[in-house]
Amino acid sequence: MKPRYARVIVDRAIHRELDYLIPENFADRLDIGWRVRVPFRDKAALATVVAILDESDASGIRPIEAIVGEGAALSPKLLELARWMSAYYCCSIETVMRSLLPQVIRRAEMSYKKQLFVRPAGALPHDAVEKLRNRAPRQAELLAAVSKLSGPVSATELLRQTSLDHQTLRGLEKRGFIEVREEAIERDPHADEQFIATTNLELNAEQNAALAAVEAAMQTAETARPILLHGVTGSGKTEIYLQAIRSALARSKTAIVLVPEISLTPQTVERFKSRFAEAQDMVAVLHSRLSEGERHDEWHKIQAGRARIVIGARSAIFAPLENLGLIVVDEEHETSYKQEEAPRYQARDVAVVRAKLETCVVLLGTATPSLESYFNATRGKYQLVSLTQRVDDNQMPLIRIVDLREEKRKAKSLTILGEKLHRAINARLEKREQTILFLNRRGFSTSLLCSACGEARECPNCSVALTFHRTAARLSCHLCGHTAAVPKKCPACGEDALIYSGFGTEKVEANVQQLFPKAVVRRMDADSMTRKDAFRETLRAFRAGKIDILVGTQMIAKGLHFPNVTLVGIINADLALHLPDFRAGERTFQLLTQVAGRAGRGETPGEVFVQTFTPFSPSIQFARHHDFAGYFEQELEFRERCDFPPFRHAVLITVRSAHEARAKFSAETLARRLKESLPDEFILSSPSPAPLEKLQGEFRFHILIRGEAILRLSRLLRGTFGKLPLPEDVLASVDVDPYQLL
Ligand code: ADP
Ligand code: ZN
């Protein structure tokens, strides 16, 4: 046989593909997408096969050492997707591969959990147990138990039930009465849950039209555009996803459902598992809280084709499903679809690209479309489908704006709950209805100031104030996790003049409990939810009506249904507005709309109080009137004026170093080089200190570039970086379509 070669991408970033000889013993098996172990420099390395070649002009070719795992870990389509990501997001293909394949699959060190199973060895003579009784009474007892079995049973279970030991089991095996075999078992994260099958609900007219649009797109997938499903909260979007997936299955296709990690609750998973309960394996779940073993098993369940629906967070967009018919991206506007480390991809956008490569339909659902997606819809790039009514015909909640400036004048100090919100809570307590209070900031006091010298306690590693946490009785940095003891006197001037200022959820909880001593108040944020089951338990208690007031961060803003919640208070709507970020207004609008959607999902209409110092800001006013279109118009105008997305793409370069001067120098050099190499169509901003000047001990400088042709810009950037070696202690990162401009 003629020798053949495999071109591979080695896991370690070397920015080159290498050729290896395929040994004869696996020449007929090895194919594109398989994982192999190859000799690399003087060590072995793991790699992915990206091409099979009949010849290679590389010199000193060495043979592949071994195959890792069985079958292709990546389909040719996923490889193509990886190449696109590498080119678009301006990062190495090896980095992309690390996101595409979970570590447990890449390393292939873990395999299925094995267990011993026992079964009868063929038909037993009817007197076998009797005959054995005298010679080996314990073996006889075990045999009697085995003979009653209808199928194989786990050895551990059998021995536990009969109180017999392993030696007896092996003795019986030796006599040839039973078979003991090691078999793989699956670690199913939902094995101990029962899913009661549900059937399709009867859709209302708007839902029917939406489903029809998705089905029509599936008929003509080659030419179909992505569908943007804009439906108010409670309009029954999930029901449409479920029925659209049913349609995809009926066409022998598979489906991926992306959900923001924070919304991937047991409740959500249950809705999907129950609708597709006909086969145990039908729905696989992928998210960051799985154990490595569970992830391994879920992934193989997908790869082997047993799971036909995958529901998961961001990286589930890379699920190795064949024959994709539908990709759903729920809450498409969610910023958590953006990965904040390399590869800095946006899963919603990757979903649109994957759908194109796989000729499948992509459905983006949300109550508050991102400006980018809505813009695409108004330009005809996406197809817009709207749901304007809540399924239960409930009214949209009434949103009232509370002017904190006025409240402050009245109370002469910073208030947490204004008078109006206070009264509204009282009324709810009397009626035994529930309240949610929302504040997007953890901790007790947001800073510790000295009233004598004005110094605030800052993080030594980051340029932010430390937050005081009362339960932990410590100061802590929310960016790097640094903690410090609370000083008695100001460490800067020595005066005994420290004052706490600003407040977070911990203080809201304490304050509310003090104002309403009889109410049951609970807090839900990253600090109070450290225990694994705390989240689930709190939600259950809240649903059961055992909590009157739930205080929390964005953890409680998303996708939860509580029919008895009739009041939502937004303690401070301005937090996001003051971030130095062109998306600040958009985020505020989305957040208000999402949080407001939590109110009044039952019989009683809901009421929302929005406390703010900027009552006339457009994002607050438009959210108040549930006017997405109006909001969109004015925000778009602002973006166009400033050359921001969706009119231009943005690329953010961050240059950082522990040495401030070196970071600055490198940023300036880089900016100069970019100025020389980038054509005029790209708008290059001069390097400037990042809004967050120091983070985790490093000084940071930003260069912002805006333009339309991202693939071209990425290529040019790669070229510039290639020719500009940065000093060893300076790092630069490129973020295409950035979300954080901090
Ligand atoms: P959304 O995802 O748009 O917020 P959901 O799909 O969660 O809305 O629907 C809200 C509630 O209405 C759910 O309890 C769902 O079961 C129910 N629902 C959805 N569609 C229908 C329908 N056609 N008939 C009756 N109930 C429905
Ligand atoms: Zn810090």
Side-chain angles (χ1 to χ4, degrees):
M1 208 158 89
K2 236 172 86 71
R4 302 184 72 191
Y5 305 91
R7 182 156 292 169
V8 308
I9 294 175
V10 177
D11 283 2
R12 253 173 289 164
I14 52 161
H15 310 282
R16 254 178 54 216
E17 295 175 4
L18 302 173
D19 292 353
Y20 287 88
L21 182 71
I22 305 176
E24 229 163 83
N25 53 344
F26 45 78
D28 53 347
R29 278 196 299 156
L30 194 68
D31 208 341
I32 294 176
W34 286 53
R35 299 278 297 160
V36 290
R37 195 177 68 227
V38 294
F40 177 66
R41 305 207 173 120
D42 53 354
K43 291 206 199 74
L46 294 175
T48 310
V49 176
V50 294
I52 303 283
L53 313 165
D54 285 324
E55 45 200 83
S56 163
D57 49 18
S59 59
I61 287 193
R62 292 191 278 174
I64 291 174
E65 283 177 11
I67 286 180
V68 177
E70 197 57 40
L74 287 178
S75 66
K77 294 256 164 69
L78 277 171
L79 268 174
E80 207 178 329
L81 186 67
R83 291 201 195 280
W84 175 83
M85 286 175 66
S86 164
Y88 186 90
Y89 291 108
C90 195
C91 68
S92 74
I93 185 90
E94 295 88 348
T95 310
V96 174
M97 292 290 216
R98 267 203 294 279
S99 270
L100 242 70
L101 282 179
Q103 177 170 328
V104 62
I105 302 303
R106 256 185 296 126
R107 298 251 177 97
E109 281 159 3
M110 175 160 313
S111 86
Y112 283 102
K113 194 164 153 186
K114 297 270 172 53
Q115 248 182 28
L116 288 181
F117 280 86
V118 181
R119 71 188 83 214
L124 292 173
H126 69 277
D127 55 352
V129 177
E130 282 314 311
K131 279 192 173 153
L132 202 58
R133 191 145 337 252
N134 294 331
R135 270 176 296 161
R138 269 179 300 182
Q139 289 185 17
E141 200 184 320
L142 189 61
L143 188 59
V146 172
S147 64
K148 289 197 198 96
L149 294 175
S150 51
V153 66
S154 117
T156 325
E157 184 60 15
L158 180 68
L159 296 179
R160 199 180 52 78
Q161 276 171 11
T162 54
S163 309
L164 293 163
D165 58 14
H166 209 72
Q167 206 183 341
T168 314
L169 183 78
R170 289 297 179 191
L172 201 56
E173 183 191 17
K174 238 186 233 149
R175 287 183 202 273
F177 284 133
I178 56 168
E179 256 177 46
V180 179
R181 231 191 299 168
E182 203 178 47
E183 282 169 32
I185 59 158
E186 224 158 59
R187 287 156 288 218
D188 180 347
H190 299 276
D192 51 356
E193 288 164 54
Q194 283 287 329
F195 296 102
I196 300 161
T198 59
T199 49
N200 286 353
L201 297 175
E202 190 156 336
L203 300 181
N204 63 31
E206 278 191 335
Q207 283 178 311
N208 259 322
L211 181 64
V214 182
E215 288 183 332
M218 283 197 234
Q219 297 274 12
T220 55
E222 296 79 32
T223 54
R225 293 170 290 166
I227 299 174
L228 176 62
L229 178 62
H230 178 198
V232 297
T233 40
S235 57
K237 294 185 288 297
T238 312
E239 185 61 31
I240 293 168
Y241 306 156
L242 291 165
Q243 299 199 20
I245 294 170
R246 186 52 86 198
S247 280
L249 293 186
R251 292 182 160 80
S252 307
K253 300 274 187 173
T254 60
I256 296 178
V257 182
L258 294 190
V259 175
E261 181 94 37
I262 201 165
S263 316
L264 199 52
T265 56
Q267 207 185 342
T268 313
V269 172
E270 186 185 335
R271 258 178 111 177
F272 285 83
K273 287 252 187 190
S274 303
R275 187 60 63 87
F276 303 99
E278 64 264 25
Q280 168 87 25
D281 280 351
M282 186 64 95
V283 181
V285 181
L286 292 174
H287 56 73
S288 67
R289 298 182 304 273
L290 295 182
S291 70
E292 289 289 273
E294 286 170 344
R295 196 186 323 275
H296 169 273
D297 294 1
E298 292 290 291
W299 192 91
H300 279 284
K301 200 154 91 182
I302 302 165
Q303 191 213 21
R306 280 177 291 136
R308 311 204 34 222
I309 302 163
V310 175
I311 170 162
R314 189 168 58 220
S315 63
I317 190 55
F318 308 122
L321 280 170
E322 293 282 338
N323 229 345
L324 262 179
L326 177 68
I327 304 177
V328 174
V329 183
D330 190 26
E331 314 271 1
E332 66 85 22
H333 63 279
E334 263 291 317
T335 51
S336 66
Y337 283 126
K338 170 80 179 175
Q339 176 153 296
E340 290 298 346
E341 60 200 63
R344 296 180 167 79
Y345 68 95
Q346 156 48 284
R348 176 202 56 217
D349 299 343
V350 173
V352 171
V353 175
R354 182 164 184 196
K356 201 162 156 197
L357 292 174
E358 310 247 12
T359 332
C360 90
V361 172
V362 61
L363 176 60
L364 313 176
T366 174
T368 51
S370 62
L371 231 57
E372 283 84 349
S373 295
Y374 202 77
F375 184 69
N376 282 332
T378 57
R379 296 283 164 110
K381 226 172 129 185
Y382 291 0
Q383 181 187 353
L384 181 67
V385 178
S386 304
L387 302 175
T388 57
Q389 304 293 320
R390 284 189 169 195
V391 169
D392 49 16
D393 262 338
N394 272 347
Q395 295 298 307
M396 295 301 278
L398 194 62
I399 301 185
R400 301 178 190 282
I401 311 289
V402 178
D403 189 342
L404 281 177
R405 295 171 304 181
E406 222 168 89
E407 295 286 328
K408 199 174 167 187
R409 233 170 285 140
K410 272 189 287 182
K412 303 223 167 42
S413 72
L414 190 66
T415 38
I416 294 182
L417 295 185
E419 217 178 287
K420 295 187 185 117
L421 183 50
H422 187 278
R423 269 206 304 273
I425 297 176
N426 230 341
R428 294 316 183 289
L429 289 173
E430 271 164 22
K431 285 191 281 183
R432 305 226 31 115
E433 292 170 3
Q434 292 169 297
T435 299
I436 288 179
L437 295 178
F438 176 84
L439 179 68
N440 214 0
R441 196 159 62 184
R442 300 183 285 123
F444 195 81
S445 304
T446 42
S447 59
L448 184 58
L449 292 166
C450 174
S451 58
C453 72
E455 284 272 296
R457 292 289 89 218
E458 283 216 340
C459 174
N461 313 317
C462 312
S463 40
V464 293
L466 294 172
T467 302
F468 172 61
H469 288 254
R470 195 170 68 168
T471 317
R474 283 185 83 76
L475 298 171
S476 108
C477 171
H478 288 179
L479 294 176
C480 73
H482 171 86
T483 73
V486 184
K488 291 216 164 50
K489 291 186 180 150
C490 174
C493 70
E495 288 288 318
D496 184 7
L498 291 176
I499 49 169
Y500 292 95
S501 96
F503 56 85
T505 42
E506 204 183 2
K507 187 156 179 181
V508 175
E509 182 194 17
N511 186 255
V512 168
Q513 185 70 77
Q514 203 177 12
L515 293 170
F516 307 102
K518 293 213 191 88
V520 181
V521 183
R522 287 281 176 283
R523 173 165 52 99
M524 204 150 133
D525 59 22
D527 299 316
S528 67
M529 294 291 128
T530 47
R531 239 176 1 96
K532 203 177 170 211
D533 292 328
F535 185 71
R536 223 193 258 217
E537 278 163 24
T538 309
L539 287 184
R540 195 177 296 147
F542 192 55
R543 184 165 325 223
K546 289 181 189 145
I547 298 171
D548 300 310
I549 304 171
L550 188 63
V551 177
T553 51
Q554 58 183 11
M555 233 182 222
I556 57 176
K558 315 281 152 98
L560 304 171
H561 302 232
F562 302 107
N564 199 34
V565 173
T566 57
L567 174 65
V568 170
I570 296 168
I571 304 288
N572 184 341
D574 306 331
L575 285 183
L577 270 179
H578 299 316
L579 291 178
D581 182 340
F582 69 89
R583 282 200 183 83
E586 181 180 4
R587 281 193 194 150
T588 303
F589 179 86
Q590 286 167 351
L591 191 68
L592 293 188
T593 309
Q594 295 283 335
V595 176
R598 303 302 118 228
R601 296 182 72 120
E603 308 283 291
T604 338
E607 214 178 4
V608 179
F609 283 79
V610 179
Q611 302 195 130
T612 170
F613 283 103
T614 53
F616 298 110
S617 87
S619 38
I620 290 179
Q621 283 300 331
F622 283 115
R624 173 190 186 183
H625 294 111
H626 308 285
D627 182 4
F628 180 81
Y631 169 71
F632 176 77
E633 283 297 316
Q634 76 87 33
E635 179 70 25
L636 212 58
E637 207 175 284
F638 155 71
R639 300 283 183 92
E640 184 161 29
R641 232 177 17 243
C642 310
D643 283 316
F644 272 126
F647 293 93
R648 298 267 158 104
H649 286 278
V651 173
L652 182 69
I653 299 177
T654 305
V655 179
R656 51 184 222 270
S657 168
H659 308 280
E660 188 170 8
R662 293 208 209 195
K664 185 161 186 261
F665 180 78
S666 292
E668 280 163 357
T669 315
L670 183 59
R672 223 173 17 251
R673 294 288 168 82
L674 287 171
K675 202 165 177 173
E676 289 158 15
S677 61
L678 295 186
D680 288 343
E681 60 173 291
F682 298 105
I683 308 168
L684 182 68
S685 76
S686 28
S688 58
L692 203 58
E693 277 177 59
K694 196 178 170 201
L695 178 67
Q696 303 186 336
E698 290 178 317
F699 294 88
R700 309 160 73 244
F701 288 81
H702 276 172
I703 301 169
L704 189 69
I705 307 170
R706 279 163 293 160
E708 276 166 54
I710 284 293
L711 285 168
R712 205 151 90 82
L713 178 57
S714 277
R715 207 169 45 240
L716 290 166
L717 287 177
R718 224 185 270 254
T720 309
F721 275 99
K723 277 184 267 161
L724 176 85
L726 291 169
E728 226 167 60
D729 49 4
V730 178
L731 290 169
S733 62
V734 178
D735 189 352
V736 175
D737 298 337
Y739 269 66
Q740 302 270 3
L741 296 184
L742 297 177

